[in-house]
Amino acid sequence: MAAQTGLAAAPAFVNRSDVPVFPQVPLSAEAAPFTPLGTDEWQLSSQSDVERQFSRCAKKLRALLADSSQLKEELNLLFDQLLSENYNTSFDPNINIRPEEVCSLLKHASCLVPLSQEHLVIKLCQLVHHLLNQLKVIMDELTLDVLLNYTTRALKVCSTWTHSGILLALSTIVYGNGPQCHQHLNDLLGEDGLLLLYSSPSQPDMELCRVALTCMANICLRMPGQPHLDDKYKSVCFSAFLKTLHSPKPADTDQVFYCMVIQAALKGLQCCLSGGKWKFGGGEELGSVLAALKRLMFQGAPGVSVEWPAVLYPAPLPQYEGLKTTETPKPTEQPTNTAVPGKVSGNKKRKSRGKGKKTGKEESRGDDGEEDDEEVVPSSQKTGGREGGRGEGEASSKMSFYPSWKQNTSDSEFSDPEGTAQGKLRLNHGRVRQRALHCLLAVVKGVEKRTLYGYWSSFIPDAPIGGTPPLTLLTIILKDPSPKVRTSALQVLSAMLDGSRQFLAVAEDTSSPRTSYTPFSFSLATAIRELHRALSLALLAETSPQTLTQVIKCLASLVANAPYHRLRPGLLSPLWKQMRPYMRHRDVNVRVSVLTLYGAVVTTQAPLPEVQLLLRQPESSGGGLFTPQDSALSWRQRDGSTPTQRSSQTHSPHLLRTPGEDDNTSPWLMQLCVSLVTQPREDQSDSEGGTGGAVALQPSPVRLEALQVLSHLVRGYICLVQAYLCEIGQVSASCLGETDPSVQLHGAKLLEELGTGIIQQYRAENNVPESSRVPLSQVVQFWSEVLSGPLNRALQSEQHPTLQTSACDTLSSILPQAFAQLPEKNQLMCITVLLGLTYSENYLVKTAAVRALGVYILFPCLREDVMFVADTANTILAALDDRSPNVRAKAAWSLGNLTDTLIVNMESVGVDFQEELSDMLLLKMLQAATRSSADKDKVKCNAVRALGNLLHFLRQSQMTRSVFQRPLEDAIRALVKTVQSVATMKVRWNACYALGNAFRNPALPLDSAPWSPDAFSALCNVVTSCKNFKVRIKSAAALAVPADRSCYGNTEQFICVWRSLAKALENSEDTNDFLEYRYSASLRHTLSQALLHLLKLSQSEDMPTLAASLSGEEGSGIKERLIVYLRAEEGGEGTEGDRDTVGDSFNPQQRITGVHQTLIRLKELKAEGDGQRQLESSKEVVIGFLDDLLKTCEESQELELKSNISSCSVEFQKTL
């Protein structure tokens, strides 16, 4: 494979035939101006020469024999000619030299060059590096093996002076080929491996150490699609890299060389950590890596003299480094640079002095293209600018961290030799810092979030501290002179914040902390506030557009994860106003990131009171908007420009009129987004290129992000934007009418969010007052216009299936009440289009259409239409056999909704609807649902729900038909199998619910069916043994459904149900999972209700076993739980068990009345047959149990009444 190393290529000799010959022109005023050859003309003259030269040399090389007398001279000449050519495809993309030709040449050359000819060995190694680098050759296994054999033997045989060049070739060969080198890895990385020997910190030759580390890094590098390197060798490399990072700099080593060694070790560490989870030991190893990376994050920081720990340990409180008071560096710390101000010579860029330009692969082989051309910011922008990052404590004399670091940092501002050396050192220090941050980013992505949270305090401060501040990521973000390093630090911080919502959810500072100690929740809240403060300062001080974009993205990550509803208000308001000027920034990426941040603000914990106020408040006039930014920019001004001039350069304030500055009729953010989407921009910024002054809309990324923000705004704050429903609808229609599919897609999604928001307003459980809802007439008008507009074209846009999918989702977001009032043509259009799209060849479109039909089947105006129900059912049945699991999952969900509709119609319309629906269609649905119950879990969970509804819906006349009997039994057994399976808890919960639903059908032969014992046995097993309490609740509710004693079968089966419920009640608190324990009260509530239901239905033959259960310790435990249930002392009311069990009442008095009725019925029960006396005595035990139960409840009620009366008397006397 094409390799990349950290070394420069050998000097390339220029072929004179490549140099164009220019005619001599006499110098005079009349002479035509000089015009150089265009790149096309140059390439035309040299293209064939490069390939011809390679072919000629390769042919000569293949013709050479090992015993030739002129072999050495011929090889020297051919190698020189091959090395003189520039094969880089980025320089000339038309070069077409086949990889197999290169491999053949290198294999033959390695056979011709003996290891005794060390100068030829070096030239061959240079050729290997040169060809593989520039031609990006992917080697075959044979070539890889041959070259690895040759270079490893050369390292063992040749003199030490050749090893650097050999290792250069080796690093090129192994680049990304680590797993394919398994036969040679033991020689290289074994116990006495060559690379371990050369990369040892005790190696005196720093160049050898660096190249060896680069070889190891390239072995660890994994290319996409390739297998991972064996963990054994990866661990060896990891240990070597970490050991190098922790080793002190040898006393006689040049600082620049040492920085290059550290860069190679960091590159290797990054290759080990990238692309997978952490595999390198426990907390000690992780702490050691983090400690090394934290130290190197500040490499070259002047004035930093810190006692760095060798290991970082996870701690709930911050770890702060202690500053040393001596000026002498310890042996373990990195040398620091004291910058000497040099002569300022402008912001010139460093130019390469070599003839062969280093491009493409060769650049990336240094540091993978990172920081090779270090982006420098003029000193006029860097002196004094970042001191605001720490407040008053920053200017400590012990740590002049900011001023000395920020002075004269441009790499090209030194004209004397000393200045050049200092600039080179500073450049390498910056590269080390950037590499360290890249490694830290890999650690953050590879280590489990929960593990990493313990180390947050080492990288994120929890408060601004007076005096000496801690060294954290924020220090780098605020003070590092390199924009690339600052960007890298921001990327690390963003990665740490990403996905931290659950961790940060603990933060709270709404109440004052205790003085004796600081709770962790308060410390975390303080850390969030410090992040806000520091990033806001970075926002003000930053001038690099790329870094500014990353600052805003980091703020968006913070906003998306912080729990603002648990924090004191006031964090989002300054940020909201601070971001507004950046919508005028000339860089498109900055504007897009600002919109992303606004989207995060209106999304987080919506609706948030502080954000509601911000959306309602009129924005201040534009006069003072740029004051903070101008102030920040003036910190860096050393070129005499005024704040106003710099502000106009950076923000271009006349680019876009910010809505709201003189018009407050609607939320400013909404107007901003609408204007960005629909209005042409008044001018163009430099970063967008020129179009000759033609009127054009905003760049596509800006418009798409503005549409996303509008969607977020509608989703979270529809109450504030509902007055502008028509305006937003017009924006969506305008987007759907455009030709750009991305804009059309976002327009459709905006419509969907609008529809969903209106539906949420009309949901009864949301308790939105009618006066606060969008009026129904307005909703009807809105959808009438939408359905008559460009949404139709989107639905029929077969060339853009994603747009069709979104349009289907939009149709499913129509308010049911509004759909009923739409014109009939619009209703028919929606139904017809959806039915047709279920036959689309694209699975995304089919999935969305099937789902939309599943929504429509619940509409009151459609569910009683038998023809629509039948058409939808047939469509869903066809989709259940689709190849795509996503289509089948949505079809099962829609089938569940359809069967829910059948139950509603059965209860509201009655037998007429049941008789009108085709028996064969019901049979097909029953069979399809049974088959789907054996599908994947996401299909199965809704298939079993549909089975329960269908079994509830079937009539007696249908069940007795022979064609239904076998499918009926198969359906029940499918449910029983699912209840007993090891499927997900959601699937088992639905299966228990489905069995309970089926038991409600009085026509179901529970007393005589062969599958009945299996159904009750499965539910009894789940109610006693399932770990998930919600599944237990649902199974207990199902066991309490049958309304007749005969449904429970014989006495043995009835008693089995009783004992299972009693045992479950006894063990209702036995769980090791706290998340399950919260459902224990609901479980006891449902179990108590089920036991009383069984007592209510019990007959005389059940009395002996019931009496045995209700006497003794077991009876005492049951009695205690039943008393709690009857008095409603636990918060079990309104649980799933209540809703699913017939005849339950929530009022304690009604429950006691039910027990009274059960007691009266049992007293009237007459025992018959053999053992009459025993039955009577058992009945007396049960009656006595119920008597005691009622007496205890009545006594407790009397005591409670007396207590209330006494309390009222005391209060009355106090008032007198």
Side-chain angles (χ1 to χ4, degrees):
M1 175 170 291
Q4 296 188 7
T5 70
L7 301 174
F13 300 97
V14 179
N15 189 350
R16 293 187 179 275
S17 63
D18 294 343
V19 181
V21 179
F22 301 104
Q24 294 184 357
V25 178
L27 296 176
S28 68
E30 290 77 21
F34 169 74
T35 305
L37 283 176
T39 56
D40 293 340
E41 297 177 60
W42 178 284
Q43 290 171 2
L44 283 174
S45 66
S46 62
Q47 175 186 354
S48 58
D49 290 343
V50 173
E51 295 181 22
R52 192 182 302 116
Q53 175 81 330
F54 179 86
S55 299
R56 184 181 62 81
C57 292
K59 185 177 179 181
K60 282 188 175 182
L61 193 66
R62 284 192 295 268
L64 289 176
L65 299 176
D67 55 355
S68 172
S69 59
Q70 300 295 321
L71 179 65
K72 181 177 179 181
E73 291 77 7
E74 291 287 342
L75 286 175
N76 258 314
L77 179 61
L78 290 173
F79 286 169
D80 286 342
Q81 289 174 343
L82 287 168
L83 285 167
S84 69
E85 300 292 344
N86 189 346
Y87 304 100
N88 201 308
T89 53
S90 62
F91 174 74
D92 182 3
N94 295 317
I95 293 177
N96 185 23
I97 299 175
R98 294 183 301 162
E100 50 266 30
E101 294 179 358
V102 178
C103 292
S104 175
L105 182 146
L106 293 178
K107 282 187 294 184
H108 191 69
S110 66
C111 296
L112 295 175
V113 179
L115 298 179
S116 58
Q117 298 290 334
E118 294 185 344
H119 285 86
L120 281 179
V121 171
I122 287 299
K123 281 198 175 181
L124 175 59
C125 289
Q126 290 176 347
L127 183 63
V128 168
H129 172 73
H130 189 62
L131 292 177
L132 296 183
N133 240 350
Q134 294 195 349
L135 291 172
K136 305 175 183 177
V137 175
I138 299 176
M139 292 179 288
D140 56 78
E141 291 187 10
L142 179 60
T143 305
L144 179 65
D145 187 61
V146 168
L147 295 180
L148 277 173
N149 264 323
Y150 187 85
T151 49
T152 50
R153 284 191 297 112
L155 286 172
K156 296 176 182 177
V157 174
C158 295
S159 304
T160 306
W161 72 270
T162 65
H163 288 186
S164 177
I166 298 170
L167 285 173
L168 166 66
L170 179 61
S171 64
T172 312
I173 295 165
V174 300
Y175 181 85
N177 288 319
Q180 285 76 35
C181 303
H182 53 86
Q183 295 180 353
H184 304 272
L185 288 179
N186 194 52
D187 289 338
L188 298 173
L189 300 173
E191 188 172 347
D192 297 317
L194 295 171
L195 293 181
L196 293 182
L197 176 66
Y198 291 127
S199 64
S200 171
S202 60
Q203 170 63 243
D205 190 335
M206 286 288 101
E207 180 65 13
L208 270 181
C209 182
R210 180 179 76 89
V211 188
L213 288 168
T214 302
C215 283
M216 295 168 68
N218 290 349
I219 290 174
C220 294
L221 179 67
R222 176 176 175 265
M223 304 302 289
Q226 286 196 351
H228 290 275
L229 180 67
D230 188 281
D231 288 345
K232 169 188 172 183
Y233 295 112
K234 187 179 281 190
S235 297
V236 169
C237 294
F238 173 83
S239 299
F241 297 140
L242 188 57
K243 188 175 180 182
T244 301
L245 297 180
H246 276 293
S247 298
K249 182 182 78 68
D252 56 345
T253 302
D254 182 74
Q255 290 189 12
V256 173
F257 274 127
Y258 186 67
C259 283
M260 295 171 73
V261 171
I262 294 298
Q263 289 175 56
L266 286 170
K267 176 184 175 182
L269 191 63
Q270 184 183 356
C271 291
C272 286
L273 297 171
S274 298
K277 296 296 181 183
W278 175 269
K279 299 179 180 178
F280 304 104
E284 190 78 16
E285 287 79 4
L286 177 59
S288 179
V289 170
L290 292 176
L293 295 179
K294 183 170 183 180
R295 172 171 53 83
L296 295 171
M297 280 162 42
F298 295 94
Q299 175 81 2
V304 177
S305 185
V306 176
E307 191 72 46
W308 295 104
V311 180
L312 292 181
Y313 295 99
L317 297 177
Q319 291 181 350
Y320 298 110
E321 295 80 6
L323 295 181
K324 295 190 298 184
T325 56
T326 61
E327 294 294 329
T328 306
K330 290 282 180 86
T332 58
E333 73 175 8
Q334 295 302 313
T336 57
N337 169 44
T338 305
V340 179
K343 182 178 179 181
V344 177
S345 57
N347 190 20
K348 298 179 182 178
K349 290 188 176 179
R350 177 174 295 174
K351 296 182 180 178
S352 175
R353 300 175 190 259
K355 290 184 179 180
K357 184 178 180 181
K358 190 177 181 181
T359 57
K361 276 282 183 185
E362 288 185 308
E363 276 190 8
S364 61
R365 295 181 188 209
D367 284 316
D368 294 340
E370 296 158 356
E371 203 69 15
D372 281 330
D373 296 319
E374 175 80 358
E375 180 180 341
V376 292
V377 177
S379 61
S380 61
Q381 296 180 5
K382 291 194 171 182
T383 52
R386 297 191 171 274
E387 191 161 356
R390 270 294 158 196
E392 23 334 305
E394 247 352 273
S396 171
S397 59
K398 288 185 180 180
M399 182 181 175
S400 56
F401 187 52
Y402 170 74
S404 59
W405 199 352
K406 298 295 287 186
Q407 288 175 357
N408 299 327
T409 58
S410 176
D411 297 327
S412 58
E413 290 176 354
F414 302 92
S415 57
D416 55 357
E418 176 63 22
T420 304
Q422 291 291 337
K424 189 174 182 180
L425 178 60
R426 188 159 44 252
L427 174 66
N428 278 278
H429 279 157
R431 288 176 173 174
V432 169
R433 296 197 300 274
Q434 187 179 12
R435 275 286 182 200
L437 288 164
H438 288 170
C439 282
L440 183 56
L441 180 62
V443 172
V444 170
K445 291 181 176 179
V447 176
E448 187 181 356
K449 290 281 185 185
R450 187 177 300 179
T451 303
L452 200 63
Y453 291 147
Y455 298 93
W456 269 41
S457 58
S458 297
F459 298 94
I460 299 175
D462 62 356
I465 298 174
T468 302
L471 300 179
T472 63
L473 285 170
L474 298 183
T475 314
I476 298 173
I477 292 168
L478 289 168
K479 298 178 179 180
D480 198 285
S482 167
K484 290 187 177 181
V485 176
R486 298 198 298 271
T487 301
S488 299
L490 286 161
Q491 289 171 343
V492 174
L493 183 56
S494 295
M496 293 177 70
L497 291 170
D498 186 36
S500 63
R501 184 176 303 169
Q502 188 175 0
F503 173 64
L504 295 179
V506 181
E508 183 177 15
D509 67 351
T510 51
S511 57
S512 300
R514 300 180 182 180
T515 55
S516 57
Y517 71 97
T518 302
F520 177 68
S521 59
F522 189 82
S523 297
L524 207 53
T526 311
I528 293 173
R529 292 188 175 277
E530 175 63 6
L531 282 170
H532 264 278
R533 188 189 72 86
L535 290 174
S536 294
L537 288 172
L539 192 69
L540 291 172
E542 193 55 67
T543 55
S544 165
Q546 293 80 12
T547 313
L548 181 61
T549 301
Q550 198 61 47
V551 173
I552 300 171
K553 286 182 178 179
C554 192
L555 277 166
S557 293
L558 175 61
V559 169
N561 290 280
Y564 293 99
H565 61 294
R566 294 169 58 92
L567 304 175
R568 294 194 313 273
L571 283 175
L572 293 174
S573 300
L575 185 61
W576 179 279
K577 295 173 183 177
Q578 189 179 8
M579 294 311 304
R580 188 176 174 189
Y582 292 96
M583 279 313 303
R584 304 169 180 270
H585 201 284
R586 63 183 175 182
D587 190 275
V588 174
N589 295 320
V590 173
R591 301 207 298 274
V592 170
S593 60
V594 171
L595 288 170
T596 303
L597 177 55
Y598 276 131
V601 171
V602 298
T603 302
T604 183
Q605 296 108 43
L608 206 61
E610 184 177 359
V611 178
Q612 284 181 318
L613 289 174
L614 289 171
L615 289 169
R616 286 195 177 106
Q617 283 178 357
E619 293 292 325
S620 59
S621 62
L625 283 177
F626 291 92
T627 304
Q629 184 66 19
D630 294 337
S631 172
L633 290 171
S634 67
W635 293 353
R636 291 202 174 122
Q637 281 152 23
R638 296 292 183 270
D639 55 2
S641 61
T642 64
T644 306
Q645 291 170 336
R646 291 303 303 262
S647 174
S648 64
Q649 291 170 15
T650 304
H651 295 289
S652 304
H654 299 295
L655 287 180
L656 178 70
R657 184 185 71 85
T658 305
E661 292 176 359
D662 50 18
D663 182 8
N664 296 317
T665 57
S666 61
W668 169 79
L669 184 60
M670 193 194 98
Q671 275 209 350
L672 170 69
C673 294
V674 169
S675 66
L676 289 173
V677 173
T678 59
Q679 295 178 11
R681 60 176 184 259
E682 299 174 12
D683 197 359
Q684 284 186 331
S685 63
D686 296 340
S687 66
E688 296 162 17
T691 59
V695 175
L697 295 171
Q698 291 289 330
S700 182
V702 174
R703 300 182 69 212
L704 296 180
E705 198 65 36
L707 284 168
Q708 290 226 44
V709 175
L710 268 179
S711 296
H712 296 324
L713 191 60
V714 167
R715 183 189 308 152
Y717 299 90
I718 190 169
C719 57
L720 298 181
V721 300
Q722 66 185 41
Y724 313 99
L725 186 66
C726 292
E727 184 179 357
I728 298 175
Q730 288 171 2
V731 172
S732 300
S734 171
C735 293
L736 286 169
E738 295 191 22
T739 56
D740 185 351
S742 298
V743 176
Q744 291 177 312
L745 179 63
H746 282 73
K749 289 188 177 297
L750 178 56
L751 276 179
E752 182 189 353
E753 290 294 347
L754 269 173
T756 304
I758 294 170
I759 289 174
Q760 292 298 326
Q761 282 191 333
Y762 276 79
R763 287 193 188 279
E765 60 266 25
N766 290 334
N767 298 319
V768 178
E770 189 172 350
S771 59
S772 301
R773 301 174 184 169
V774 180
L776 184 58
S777 59
Q778 190 177 347
V779 179
V780 173
Q781 180 187 355
F782 170 78
W783 283 113
S784 298
E785 294 174 357
V786 167
L787 295 174
S788 303
L791 185 62
N792 252 331
R793 291 198 299 273
L795 287 165
Q796 298 170 23
S797 180
E798 295 183 3
Q799 67 273 26
H800 300 301
T802 309
L803 178 59
Q804 277 186 301
T805 300
S806 186
C808 288
D809 293 337
T810 301
L811 287 185
S812 67
S813 66
I814 300 176
L815 181 70
Q817 296 92 317
F819 187 90
Q821 297 185 23
L822 285 174
E824 187 176 358
K825 64 174 184 178
N826 288 341
Q827 294 184 3
L828 287 176
M829 185 275 290
C830 293
I831 294 169
T832 305
V833 168
L834 290 176
L835 287 172
L837 289 177
T838 57
Y839 296 97
S840 170
E841 295 181 0
N842 187 281
Y843 82 95
L844 291 173
V845 178
K846 185 182 291 188
T847 301
V850 169
R851 177 191 170 275
L853 287 174
V855 173
Y856 277 26
I857 199 66
L858 298 175
F859 285 7
C861 63
L862 294 176
R863 68 186 179 207
E864 295 179 10
D865 185 342
V866 177
M867 293 302 297
F868 174 71
V869 172
D871 288 342
T872 303
N874 285 314
T875 301
I876 291 171
L877 291 177
L880 279 172
D881 293 327
D882 196 85
R883 291 179 304 170
S884 169
N886 292 329
V887 174
R888 296 200 304 274
K890 287 303 178 186
W893 178 81
S894 296
L895 182 62
N897 286 3
L898 188 147
T899 54
D900 286 343
T901 292
L902 297 183
I903 300 301
V904 172
N905 288 342
M906 180 183 71
E907 295 172 352
S908 60
V909 181
V911 180
D912 292 342
F913 181 84
Q914 289 178 285
E915 292 177 346
E916 202 170 348
L917 199 63
S918 166
D919 286 358
M920 294 311 298
L921 182 58
L922 281 173
L923 181 61
K924 288 180 181 179
M925 287 194 285
L926 189 67
Q927 292 171 330
T930 303
R931 288 194 303 271
S932 297
S933 68
D935 206 330
K936 296 182 178 180
D937 280 358
K938 61 181 181 180
V939 180
K940 186 185 298 184
C941 64
N942 284 298
V944 294
R945 175 167 71 100
L947 279 178
N949 284 329
L950 289 169
L951 292 171
H952 186 189
F953 183 79
L954 290 174
R955 291 173 289 136
Q956 177 74 36
S957 60
Q958 293 166 330
M959 290 186 184
T960 54
R961 292 179 58 184
S962 58
V963 72
F964 271 92
Q965 288 178 0
R966 182 59 185 270
L968 178 65
E969 183 176 349
D970 290 343
I972 293 288
R973 293 201 181 279
L975 290 179
V976 171
K977 183 179 178 181
T978 307
V979 168
Q980 295 173 328
S981 70
V982 291
T984 59
M985 293 306 168
K986 181 180 179 180
V987 173
R988 297 181 73 185
W989 186 95
N990 274 354
C992 292
Y993 175 84
L995 275 178
N997 203 0
F999 288 173
R1000 287 188 173 84
N1001 191 340
L1004 202 66
L1006 281 175
D1007 53 343
S1008 58
W1011 43 258
S1012 183
D1014 294 335
F1016 280 108
S1017 175
L1019 291 172
C1020 289
N1021 182 55
V1022 168
V1023 82
T1024 56
S1025 62
C1026 185
K1027 295 180 179 179
N1028 187 281
F1029 276 19
K1030 294 182 75 174
V1031 177
R1032 285 200 201 185
I1033 292 169
K1034 193 55 63 177
S1035 60
L1039 288 171
V1041 166
D1044 191 78
R1045 169 62 184 83
S1046 61
C1047 295
Y1048 288 96
N1050 57 28
T1051 303
E1052 183 180 354
Q1053 186 167 299
F1054 179 85
I1055 294 305
C1056 178
V1057 173
W1058 171 271
R1059 285 175 176 165
S1060 298
L1061 293 170
K1063 181 180 178 182
L1065 184 62
E1066 180 184 355
N1067 300 328
S1068 60
E1069 294 182 353
D1070 295 347
T1071 180
N1072 296 324
D1073 190 348
F1074 176 75
L1075 295 177
E1076 296 301 325
Y1077 187 79
R1078 58 183 171 168
Y1079 298 111
S1080 61
S1082 297
L1083 175 60
R1084 287 191 293 273
H1085 174 88
T1086 309
L1087 291 168
S1088 301
Q1089 172 192 322
L1091 287 172
L1092 290 175
H1093 178 71
L1094 291 183
L1095 283 175
K1096 176 183 176 182
L1097 300 180
S1098 61
Q1099 298 296 325
S1100 57
E1101 61 267 21
D1102 305 321
M1103 291 300 125
T1105 311
L1106 290 177
S1109 175
L1110 294 175
S1111 58
E1113 292 184 7
E1114 184 181 1
S1116 300
I1118 294 174
K1119 179 181 176 182
E1120 182 181 341
R1121 299 297 187 191
L1122 291 180
I1123 289 172
V1124 173
Y1125 167 75
L1126 292 173
R1127 296 183 58 193
E1129 293 180 354
E1130 284 188 324
E1133 294 80 17
T1135 61
E1136 295 145 314
D1138 295 321
R1139 293 193 296 271
D1140 296 332
T1141 306
V1142 176
D1144 181 48
S1145 57
F1146 305 144
N1147 190 302
Q1149 188 56 48
Q1150 291 177 331
R1151 295 176 185 175
I1152 293 173
T1153 302
V1155 176
H1156 268 295
Q1157 293 172 352
T1158 300
L1159 183 59
I1160 293 171
R1161 190 189 69 82
L1162 289 180
K1163 288 180 179 179
E1164 295 174 352
L1165 200 62
K1166 300 295 183 182
E1168 298 178 356
D1170 298 335
Q1172 184 175 356
R1173 181 175 298 177
Q1174 183 184 359
L1175 294 176
E1176 286 290 342
S1177 62
S1178 299
K1179 185 180 75 170
E1180 292 301 323
V1181 172
V1182 176
I1183 290 173
F1185 174 86
L1186 292 177
D1187 274 331
D1188 289 344
L1189 184 65
L1190 290 172
K1191 188 180 297 183
T1192 304
C1193 289
E1194 289 170 357
E1195 288 176 355
S1196 63
Q1197 283 182 337
E1198 289 178 3
L1199 288 174
E1200 187 176 352
L1201 181 61
K1202 290 178 180 179
S1203 176
N1204 290 338
I1205 292 173
S1206 176
S1207 299
C1208 291
S1209 300
V1210 171
E1211 292 295 329
F1212 181 71
Q1213 290 177 1
K1214 285 182 178 179
T1215 56
L1216 292 178

